Structures are given as C-alpha cells and as structure tokens.
Amino acid sequence: MGRPITDADRRCVRELHAAGKSRNEIARKIKRSPSTVSKIAGSFDPPLSFDRAEQVEAATRVRTADLAARRAGLALDLQGAAERMLGQLWQPTTHGEFAGREGEWHETHLAQPRFTDQRQIIASVQTAVGTSLRLAPAEGGENAEQVRSMLGALGEALTQAASDDQAHDDGGDAGG
C-alpha cells in the first residue's frame, strides 16, 4: 500500500494548482503519482479541476493555422514549378542517350522537346496544378475548373499535333 496522503500534500496541491501548475507538474513536485494528485484534487469542496480544454483548443487553432499557411506556401511552390515546366514545353532541348555497339553517348539538339517528353511535361504540369489546388483550393471553385479545362485542352491539342506530325512523317496527308 502507498504512503498516506498528508495535510502537507493537500496544501501543496492546492497552492500549486492555484499557481496554474498541471497535474503532472504537481505530481513531480510533491513526489506523488498523478492519480494521487487527482484523488487529492477531487477531495476538495469544490473539487479542483485540471481541465485544460481551453489551452488545448487554442494550441490546436494555432497548429491548424500554421499547417494551413504551410500548405498555402507549398501550393504556391507547386504553381511555380508548373509554370517553369510549362515554359520548357516549346524551348530548345538536348536529347542524349547511349547507343551503338560500343554504347557511346549521343546527343541531339532539338528545337523543342520530343512529343513524348512534351506529354510528360503536360502530365507533370497537370499533377502539380491539381495537387496545388487540393492543398489550397482556388476561391470560387470556377477558376480551378477553368485551369483544369485549359490544361486538358492543351494536352488534347498536343496529342492532335503529334498525330498530325506522325501521319505526315509516315507519308500520310496531313493537309500540307
């Protein structure tokens, strides 16, 4: 059986509680278990309460606001990345690969990325913009739908352009 609760324990619990100490802080200070401190606090009339709901709620609000700000910053970073990737779509590029029997490195300088690379750029832009919008939704929702629609139309136009180029390269008539 544990050590009996003394008047000194009761007095310390009351004083430390009045000083705003938590149940666990009081327990450490008087070298008693937290459950003993709770038992002492409950024996007073009216009982002492260690309810910290107000502080917990305030801390939760602060944490939620901090996370929202971090998500907004990440959303902005993703938008910037999408814009940089989109800028690569029609820029000159160098394509390199190991080829030949000896596995030599070959580079080709192109006026713009190959179609497959353009498709990957578009997919990456769509992913970055979509993720950005999930992290920090656009006001009104309409703008987000307009962005998705614009990116979808751009992807379809690239697909059609590549099909036309491929038909022309295969000897088909692409209208020119």
Side-chain angles (χ1 to χ4, degrees):
M1 182 150 173
R3 161 175 76 131
I5 296 171
T6 66
D7 288 339
D9 291 333
R10 289 182 185 88
R11 188 179 59 257
C12 286
V13 168
R14 184 181 293 280
E15 289 171 2
L16 293 170
H17 180 272
K21 302 295 182 190
S22 72
R23 181 191 67 162
N24 291 346
E25 287 176 304
I26 295 171
R28 281 191 295 274
K29 201 105 164 153
I30 68 170
K31 295 183 175 47
R32 300 299 288 242
S33 71
S35 63
T36 299
V37 172
S38 293
K39 185 186 289 185
I40 294 170
S43 70
F44 289 113
D45 188 25
L48 303 179
S49 171
F50 293 102
D51 183 19
R52 294 182 33 217
E54 202 173 292
Q55 293 98 335
V56 169
E57 186 179 325
T60 301
R61 279 194 309 271
V62 168
R63 176 81 173 135
T64 301
D66 180 52
L67 289 173
R70 290 171 64 189
R71 279 192 308 276
L74 183 56
L76 285 174
D77 290 347
L78 282 167
Q79 288 290 336
E83 290 169 3
R84 286 189 303 279
M85 285 186 281
L86 203 53
Q88 296 173 6
L89 202 54
W90 305 108
Q91 295 299 313
T93 187
T94 301
H95 175 73
E97 63 185 22
F98 289 102
R101 261 180 24 182
E102 302 297 320
E104 298 164 343
W105 181 254
H106 295 275
E107 286 185 356
T108 304
H109 300 280
L110 304 170
Q112 65 191 41
R114 299 172 306 163
F115 176 72
T116 56
D117 295 329
Q118 287 178 322
R119 282 181 53 187
Q120 289 177 343
I121 291 170
I122 289 293
S124 297
V125 167
Q126 286 174 322
T127 299
V129 169
T131 302
S132 171
L133 289 171
R134 280 190 299 283
L135 289 171
E139 296 291 325
E142 261 179 41
N143 296 338
E145 198 53 47
Q146 288 172 343
V147 168
R148 284 189 202 99
S149 176
M150 184 265 311
L151 289 173
L154 184 56
E156 288 172 16
L158 282 172
T159 302
Q160 184 60 44
S163 297
D164 291 348
D165 284 349
Q166 197 164 21
H168 187 268
D169 290 346
D170 292 343
D173 182 19

